[in-house]
Structure formats: C-alpha cells, structure tokens
Amino acid sequence: MLAKRIIPCLDIRNGQTVKGINFVDIKEVGDPVELAAKYAADGADELCFLDITATHEGRKTFVELVKRIAAHINIPFTVGGGISELGDAEKLLAAGADKISINSSAVRNPKLIDDLALNFGSQFVVVAVDARGDENEHWTVTVNGGRIPTDKELFSWAKEAEDRGAGEILFTSMNHDGTKNGFANKELSKMADMLKIPIIASGGAGAEEHFVDVFTKGKADAGLAASIFHYNEIPIPVLKKYLKDKGIVVR
Amino acid sequence: MNIVIIKYNAGNIESVNNALNRLGVNAEITADPDKIRKADKVIFPGVGEASTTMAYLRENKLDELIVSLKQPVLGICLGLQLMCSHSEENDTECLGIFDEKVKRFIPKPGEEYITKVPHMGWNAIQDLKSDLFTADLENEYVYFVHSYYAEKSEHTIATCNYILPFSAALHRDNFYATQFHPEKSGTIGAKILENFLKL
C-alpha cells in the first residue's frame, strides 16, 4: 500500500531557517540543511522549503542552499517562493529540487502551470492554493499569505490546476492555519473526490489525531506542518508510531 | 571503481550523482561512448517523457550503445521504462532489453476514494530476488513517482502493489532496473545503490 506522507515545511529567509508567528517576530534559527537532515533521519517522507526572501541577493542564496540540500538530503524535497517564470524553475531544477511549488504566480498567470508541466513534467509541479471560507462555505482563493482575496473559487481553481497539468495540489485553509485545531477535512475530502492527483493538506495541525483525521475523513495523501515539528511538539517518530497504531499506512 | 552516469535529455541525473557522492563514490556524467563502454558500472537514470527521450537516444546513437553494454547497468525510473520493449506513453518503441511492455496506470475508483495517478510516494517492495536486494530489504518502503509501469514477468526481481502488482525492479543478464528512485529513498535506497556497486 502507498504510505501516507508526513511533510515538515521550513521557511527560509536569506538562507536561514526562520520561525515566526504570522510573519511577526521572525527569528533566524539556524542552518536549514541541519534541520532537514534531522527530519529525514526522523522519518519525514518529504521536505518542503519556502523562500520568504524578498531581495535579489536572498534569491541567489536560496539557489545555493537548494544545491546543498540536494547534496545532503536523501529524500525528495519541494521548493517554493518567488517562482514566477520558467527560468526560476529551471534554476531550481538544475540545483537539484525534485518539485517546485507555485502559488500567487499561478493565480496571476495560470498558463505558467501548463508551461512548467510541459517543460519539466507534471511530477515537478505542485500548485499551492491558499483559500479562506466564509459563513456560506464559499471558499475564496487568496494570495500573499491569505491577505489578498482573488476572484477564484477554491474547488474550480484546484480542478483547473489539475487540468493544466499540476502534479499535486497543496491546499492550505487560511481558516485553519495557525489554529492547531485540525485540518479542513470537509473541504479536503470534497477535493479528493474531485481530483485524480494527490492532495497535500496544510493548515491546522496541532495534535497526532489531526493527522489520523486528515488521512481518513480528509482523504488527503500527505499532511504538511511546520511549527509542531520545529518546536518538537510532536516528534516525527512519535507521530509515525501513533498513525501506525491507528491503522494508517505509514513507512 | 569507474562509475558512469549516462547523460541525456532527462531530468534528475544530478540527484543520482549526489546519492553516489554520499556513498563516497565519484561518478562521471557523460554521453561519451568510449567512456561509457569502458566504465565498470553504468547508471541510466531519468525523469521525463518516453518518446522525446527515446528520440534523443537514437539521434545520439546511445540506443545501440546501451543495448550492447556488458558491464552491470542500472536503469532508474524512466531508465527502466526505456529498457523495456514498448511504452504506451506516446506509443514509443523502446530499447527492448527487457521484452516487457510499459502501460499506463488507470485510476481505480475504490470504496473510499479514487486511487490516484501518478503513483507518487513511498510504497513497499516485495518478493525480492537477485543480488540487488538483500533479505532485510523485503517489505521496506522506497520512493516512486510514475504514471506508467512495467508488467510483472519472469524478469521481475521486486514487486510493488499499486492498483495492481507491477515490476518495481527488473533483471536480465547484466541489466538491472528499478522503477523507484533509490537516490531519493533514504537509507534503504542507499543500500540498494551500494548493492549495485558491489555487483
């Protein structure tokens, strides 16, 4: 059986791992390669690195970092942040990234998904979708960390991304992100019934049982989280054992 | 030991080089027929599309070269598929080292949800045979990313189950191939690469 994946996500600024809450009080806390190696040794199934650097120099540093990650880490990893054209993706592929994640740039220019899939294969293209639901359960796609609403609706956008050649959807519910009350299982499940590509769930992880729910009720293929792993609230080996005991297939 | 990774128009070749470096082995990435012929071990990796990569191999006469190699050769992922006789991916005639055919996974509606294509992630390998695998690797998880698979056959030396049982690895004479990515399969993948280097 295909195992459910656990994916720690690392935010990177100027080549360093950073930790912060809602972009406030961001602190640089060390070498991403060291942290990534620890997660890989702990049993993480994949890793995700998001570049939150704004400057040109910082972007170059990120590409150098991706090379170091590729040299040291023996599991697949996705990189994202600031990829808006084929050339950006090509640099990251050449540096050794297994997949790239695009978000705002895909919303602005959906054809980017087609171009990336055509040039590098669907397996290389993760489309990240941040969305917020209102009281009528209408889910609006947002950009810039959930701050700016767009005219796109979550489910139709996810389907469009699949049709254009996305290999995976990384869905973050802005309603759940940071709450630690569990993932958006209802929406994830609806999406899983609609799409033929794997779905990575993000936003809301706070306890071991949230991962059981996201894989059963939410029908997700992978669960992504940041703070619970960074602050060692749930060590990966503990989480994996818990999932196994609950009958979830994990490696 | 002289290890060569065949350079062609497919992705992820550098990842294999990185994995060998982590084992303390230096490899050369090259398309030079002489260097490939003289190598102790040849690795034929790849991520990409079957018809364009086969066309490239033919244009550069790498197709005849690969088929004629006598030393241990390891195909990885697309490498395995190109070593088969035919791929359904754009109806491509392949190298024919293995007479198996490569087919596309058909998504399967299940009780809980649709089984997705591509087959992406960690899955267990079973019924292991040949020197590429040691007994302790039975049922271990390795990393797969693919939409096409080689059928099971007499050359199957590892089986994986996804939608149906398929060949996770093949072996005939000096040719070995894995559908999964040993270079991305953590310590288990590293062991499999080491086993290949010991052949």
Side-chain angles (χ1 to χ4, degrees):
Chain A
M1 279 269 285
L2 185 63
K4 298 292 186 183
R5 287 173 278 155
I6 299 295
I7 309 177
C9 183
L10 286 73
D11 284 342
I12 309 295
R13 191 178 65 178
N14 300 324
Q16 293 287 305
T17 316
V18 294
K19 290 177 184 174
I21 297 163
N22 296 332
F23 293 92
V24 183
D25 290 334
I26 291 177
K27 289 191 185 98
E28 294 184 355
V29 293
D31 182 17
V33 178
E34 266 174 49
L35 191 56
K38 182 193 177 297
Y39 287 145
D42 274 358
D45 298 299
E46 272 180 55
L47 297 166
C48 181
F49 300 86
L50 291 181
D51 184 23
I52 59 169
T53 308
T55 62
H56 185 66
E57 290 70 33
R59 300 282 310 156
K60 268 196 232 159
T61 313
F62 187 63
V63 174
E64 288 308 309
L65 172 65
V66 170
K67 282 186 195 160
R68 280 180 54 223
I69 296 165
H72 287 94
I73 303 300
N74 58 13
I75 59 171
F77 67 95
T78 302
V79 297
I83 299 163
S84 57
E85 49 186 89
L86 281 184
D88 300 329
E90 200 161 11
K91 273 187 209 125
L92 293 165
L93 175 69
D98 296 289
K99 309 177 195 179
I100 50 151
S101 151
I102 51 171
N103 191 334
S104 323
S105 57
V107 172
R108 276 195 299 271
N109 171 22
K111 200 177 161 289
L112 181 63
I113 304 171
D114 306 62
D115 294 346
L116 288 168
L118 201 65
N119 279 275
F120 309 115
S122 287
Q123 86 292 331
F124 185 62
V125 187
V126 180
V127 173
V129 183
D130 298 343
R132 191 184 297 280
D134 65 14
E135 59 278 11
N136 302 318
E137 300 198 14
H138 179 85
W139 285 75
T140 303
V141 175
T142 62
V143 293
N144 285 43
R147 281 172 297 210
I148 304 174
T150 70
D151 59 359
K152 293 200 187 300
E153 188 272 331
L154 169 64
F155 297 101
S156 59
W157 173 232
K159 184 78 184 86
E160 183 181 340
E162 174 181 88
D163 292 344
R164 285 180 178 276
E168 281 179 292
I169 299 289
L170 163 55
F171 165 44
T172 304
S173 161
M174 301 316 293
N175 298 41
H176 296 74
D177 199 32
T179 64
K180 301 206 169 187
N181 283 329
F183 293 90
N185 295 317
K186 198 173 146 195
E187 289 70 30
L188 282 160
S189 161
K190 184 176 167 185
M191 197 181 281
D193 288 336
M194 285 176 54
L195 302 186
K196 294 182 193 69
I197 54 176
I199 296 164
I200 304 165
S202 158
E208 285 102 323
E209 57 265 33
H210 295 156
F211 286 90
V212 175
D213 290 345
V214 82
F215 293 139
T216 53
K217 295 177 192 155
K219 303 177 187 176
D221 299 280
L224 177 140
S227 60
I228 55 158
F229 300 130
H230 298 336
Y231 296 106
N232 217 24
E233 289 163 18
I234 308 177
I236 293 167
V238 173
L239 175 59
K240 285 284 189 87
K241 181 169 186 312
Y242 181 87
L243 291 173
K244 207 172 269 179
D245 290 346
K246 295 286 175 186
I248 309 284
V249 179
V250 288
R251 123 183 128 95
Chain B
M1 192 161 37
N2 177 7
I3 315 282
V4 154
I5 301 171
I6 299 179
K7 186 177 178 177
Y8 70 116
N9 63 334
N12 267 23
I13 287 175
E14 199 60 54
S15 300
V16 175
N17 193 29
N18 279 329
L20 294 174
N21 288 340
R22 286 194 292 271
L23 294 172
V25 175
N26 281 317
E28 186 171 7
I29 304 173
T30 179
D32 181 336
D34 249 13
K35 285 183 178 166
I36 296 172
R37 225 175 266 120
K38 284 181 189 146
D40 297 314
K41 302 270 159 49
V42 175
I43 301 183
F44 178 45
V47 170
E49 192 275 327
S51 67
T52 47
T53 44
M54 264 317 293
Y56 181 94
L57 293 177
R58 286 204 183 93
E59 240 167 69
N60 293 278
K61 302 214 161 36
L62 286 166
D63 57 335
E64 296 159 21
L65 174 70
I66 294 169
V67 173
S68 73
L69 292 174
K70 298 284 177 259
Q71 66 276 61
V73 178
L74 177 66
I76 297 174
C77 194
L78 180 65
L80 173 143
Q81 299 183 1
L82 297 180
M83 285 159 82
C84 291
S85 63
H86 177 270
S87 172
E88 281 185 1
E89 190 170 21
N90 291 315
D91 192 15
T92 305
E93 289 304 318
C94 300
L95 297 170
I97 291 168
F98 303 113
D99 45 24
E100 286 71 22
K101 289 190 164 53
V102 175
K103 300 186 167 175
R104 190 176 166 82
F105 281 125
I106 310 289
K108 187 172 144 193
E111 281 170 21
E112 286 182 38
Y113 63 97
I114 304 169
T115 309
K116 312 285 180 69
V117 175
H119 174 218
M120 179 185 284
W122 298 78
N123 207 334
I125 45 172
Q126 284 143 354
D127 298 329
L128 305 181
K129 293 167 202 157
S130 94
D131 304 340
L132 199 56
F133 303 105
T134 40
D136 59 320
L137 298 176
E138 185 76 27
N139 279 321
E140 286 288 358
Y141 281 81
V142 290
Y143 189 78
F144 292 86
V145 187
H146 60 127
S147 299
Y148 295 80
Y149 66 93
E151 302 171 286
K152 280 202 65 172
S153 72
E154 58 178 317
H155 299 125
T156 304
I157 53 168
T159 302
C160 179
N161 263 290
Y162 190 72
I163 301 177
L164 75 178
F166 69 90
S167 291
L170 293 166
H171 170 219
R172 188 183 68 97
D173 305 328
N174 56 318
F175 295 100
Y176 296 77
T178 64
Q179 179 60 63
F180 56 87
H181 288 274
E183 76 280 12
K184 288 285 167 183
S185 296
T187 49
I188 300 300
K191 272 189 196 170
I192 294 168
L193 284 176
E194 267 187 318
N195 290 343
F196 173 71
L197 297 177
K198 280 187 223 153
L199 288 173

